[in-house]
Amino acid sequence: MVLLAPPTTNYDREEEFKVELRSVIITRSKEGATIEEIIGTGKGDHHLTTISGTLMLMCALVLFFIVPLHADDYRELTGTDLMDLFYNRTVLARYLSMIDNVWCSTDGSCGTLLWFCSTPRTKHMVHLIQQQRSPRAGRSNYRRYMPRGPLAAPVVRQDHQSSRLTGGTGMGSTLAMHGTYREAAQVQEPARPSQSSRFQSKRPSRVERYNPYSRRITGRTGGTGWRQSRSDELDYSMYGPSYHRHQLVGDDFFLAIAKWELGFSFDQGHTIDMSGLCISGLTLSEAAKRVEVAPFIADHVLVNVGTVDLLHGRAMIDLIHDFDQLVARFRERNVEPIMTTLAPIANSGGRTPMAERLLKMNEYICRTCPRTIDLWKHFVHANGTVRFECYQPGPRKVSGSIMPHVLWNKLGRQLLLGVLGNEIAAQLTTDEQWRYY
């Protein structure tokens, strides 16, 4: 599909270049655009194959009549290779982050950056693209309509009752002639409210069922995941969850703090629960990779990572190596992070090898990092036993790891927030730590 663009004699070339990049990113708004897809070397599926020509025409008109808008990359759009204009992909990523109304998010456990764009002129187009259904989504699945129990007794009972009420309209004979479930479903579909409804046990849909872990918090904006930051928080669109202007980096424990106590929502469009750099199943090595490629890192960062490595049985020497790599990535960004010690793992009680490795890891953290917060001592009794009253009753599965986690409960999360607040205040009033602020 080709659209003729009007002459742009007085058009600023740099602004036109930004518009072209926005158009490429917007066409991939459903799942986000990677750097490779923007450049033109990606092998991803085309997300707009189901968008009609009228929709593409509208999007092109909204984007100031630029060159033909196609569900492809910049090279196919303009015939120019972005690598001829930028030194490397890191420079391109930094340039994209400086474009107005363009932001990025991470996907999955591999740390891939996905780029999104939404301007006041095109937000309705982005919404339409995001609402496009996959070609496979229209196919019906017989399991969706599979009955959960025997249908013979309630269906016949309903039809006998209906035949009495309607004077015998033939619904019972229809069920007698057609024994398949499809025929029965077609007869049940146009049922009208009547006295026969009292014989049916209406089962709520899966979406409406009560789930204690799917609490809804009102007052948040949907769509792209933007959130209005409070005065004691950093810009959420840049840094993700923060506490007293300290960026949070952690696994499921910090993710639960950000979600349930601080009110931050999960980033949309990911198979793994995440909010900024608080990611389910985050390991030390993965945290180092994400810190390296993150477009923004705050001056003050609270880090709690390493529990997942212990749950997966990593050797002590590997833990130390990955931890040093994580601290080095922060220092390459001119940031001295506040590293927290690891809280006891409620899955492992007593003097187990996992508990011993945890204690050695905490000793290494306190010995090598100038800025630390000891969380471990607040989750144990005076005799060293775990304070199980601060943990949930049992392990549960998390989206980012195959190992079950026993996370903090409400008491434990509130205890942690109090400890973090007191330690941050103590560092602000200590001469030795003041130099970092």
Side-chain angles (χ1 to χ4, degrees):
M1 174 179 171
V2 178
L3 300 177
L4 297 179
T8 56
T9 55
N10 298 324
Y11 201 86
D12 182 32
R13 177 53 192 162
E14 182 178 1
E15 186 64 27
E16 180 182 359
F17 177 65
K18 293 181 180 179
V19 170
E20 293 170 349
L21 289 178
R22 289 194 192 101
S23 66
V24 173
I25 297 174
I26 287 176
T27 57
R28 295 183 179 270
S29 296
K30 188 171 182 62
E31 296 181 3
T34 63
I35 289 292
E36 301 299 332
E37 291 171 344
I38 296 175
I39 294 173
T41 59
K43 303 297 183 183
D45 297 334
H46 291 179
H47 306 300
L48 296 186
T49 54
T50 59
I51 296 182
S52 63
T54 305
L55 182 58
M56 297 174 65
L57 175 61
M58 293 171 58
C59 191
L61 294 175
V62 170
L63 290 171
F64 308 105
F65 300 96
I66 64 170
V67 288
L69 180 61
H70 191 267
D72 261 329
D73 43 50
Y74 185 84
R75 178 186 298 173
E76 194 165 327
L77 181 68
T78 63
T80 304
D81 192 347
L82 283 175
M83 288 296 96
D84 296 338
L85 305 177
F86 294 91
Y87 180 70
N88 53 32
R89 287 166 174 77
T90 303
V91 177
L92 174 58
R94 292 177 180 174
Y95 183 82
L96 291 174
S97 63
M98 293 186 296
I99 299 179
D100 294 338
N101 302 311
V102 174
W103 69 95
C104 68
S105 178
T106 52
D107 179 37
S109 60
C110 59
T112 304
L113 286 180
L114 297 179
W115 294 89
F116 299 88
C117 177
S118 178
T119 66
R121 291 172 176 253
T122 62
K123 60 182 180 180
H124 61 290
M125 301 301 305
V126 173
H127 177 72
L128 290 176
I129 294 174
Q130 292 176 344
Q131 296 300 318
Q132 288 290 318
R133 299 184 61 186
S134 173
R136 297 183 179 180
R139 300 178 182 177
S140 61
N141 188 354
Y142 76 95
R143 294 184 182 273
R144 181 178 178 184
Y145 303 98
M146 184 67 70
R148 298 184 181 275
L151 289 176
V155 170
V156 173
R157 186 176 184 180
Q158 175 187 355
D159 291 336
H160 286 325
Q161 181 69 16
S162 301
S163 62
R164 296 193 193 103
L165 296 175
T166 58
T169 57
M171 294 180 63
S173 60
T174 303
L175 286 177
M177 294 172 59
H178 305 281
T180 62
Y181 174 73
R182 182 176 180 182
E183 298 287 347
Q186 292 176 354
V187 174
Q188 289 180 353
E189 193 169 317
R192 298 180 179 84
S194 63
Q195 296 182 2
S196 62
S197 60
R198 63 184 178 182
F199 297 103
Q200 299 176 353
S201 59
K202 294 184 178 179
R203 187 186 183 98
S205 63
R206 294 182 182 273
V207 180
E208 298 174 354
R209 291 180 196 167
Y210 172 73
N211 188 343
Y213 297 107
S214 61
R215 288 176 280 182
R216 295 180 177 86
I217 300 179
T218 58
R220 296 180 187 164
T221 56
T224 58
W226 292 89
R227 180 181 184 275
Q228 185 66 33
S229 301
R230 298 191 297 265
S231 59
D232 60 338
E233 297 174 356
L234 300 173
D235 189 349
Y236 175 74
S237 62
M238 297 172 60
Y239 304 104
S242 60
Y243 183 60
H244 289 296
R245 306 194 69 80
H246 287 65
Q247 185 178 4
L248 299 181
V249 178
D251 49 25
D252 293 89
F253 289 89
F254 265 24
L255 182 62
I257 294 290
K259 173 72 172 180
W260 304 123
E261 304 304 324
L262 302 181
F264 294 95
S265 60
F266 290 158
D267 297 340
Q268 298 182 2
H270 306 285
T271 57
I272 294 178
D273 295 337
M274 63 177 65
S275 182
L277 290 180
C278 295
I279 305 169
S280 176
L282 185 65
T283 61
L284 289 167
S285 60
E286 181 61 29
K289 296 177 183 177
R290 290 181 179 271
V291 170
E292 184 178 11
V293 301
F296 302 101
I297 295 294
D299 296 333
H300 310 291
V301 185
L302 289 168
V303 183
N304 181 266
V305 185
T307 303
V308 178
D309 298 86
L310 290 171
L311 288 173
H312 284 266
R314 298 288 307 282
M316 191 63 201
I317 188 62
D318 295 330
L319 293 175
I320 293 176
H321 175 268
D322 293 345
F323 180 82
D324 291 339
Q325 291 295 316
L326 174 60
V327 176
R329 298 292 86 79
F330 275 111
R331 290 172 179 170
E332 289 175 358
R333 306 288 295 265
N334 296 323
V335 174
E336 186 63 45
I338 302 178
M339 307 299 297
T340 66
T341 59
L342 303 179
I345 300 177
N347 308 44
S348 173
R351 302 294 297 183
T352 60
M354 183 186 301
E356 293 178 359
R357 288 200 305 272
L358 185 144
L359 293 177
K360 292 180 181 178
M361 188 65 193
N362 286 342
E363 293 176 2
Y364 184 79
I365 293 174
C366 296
R367 186 169 60 250
T368 58
C369 297
R371 306 181 71 188
T372 59
I373 295 178
D374 189 5
L375 298 183
W376 181 84
K377 65 181 181 181
H378 297 280
F379 288 90
V380 295
H381 295 289
N383 59 359
T385 58
V386 180
R387 295 181 58 184
F388 289 103
E389 67 272 16
C390 296
Y391 290 82
Q392 295 178 0
R396 54 172 297 193
K397 294 182 179 180
V398 296
S399 60
S401 173
I402 61 174
M403 302 301 295
H405 286 49
V406 181
L407 302 175
W408 296 315
N409 56 16
K410 183 70 173 182
L411 176 62
R413 295 194 297 265
Q414 289 294 327
L415 173 63
L416 178 77
L417 289 180
V419 170
L420 293 180
N422 293 335
E423 292 292 338
I424 292 174
Q427 294 196 11
L428 285 170
T429 56
T430 303
D431 294 338
E432 182 180 356
Q433 299 291 335
W434 174 254
R435 60 190 179 93
Y436 294 108
Y437 292 90

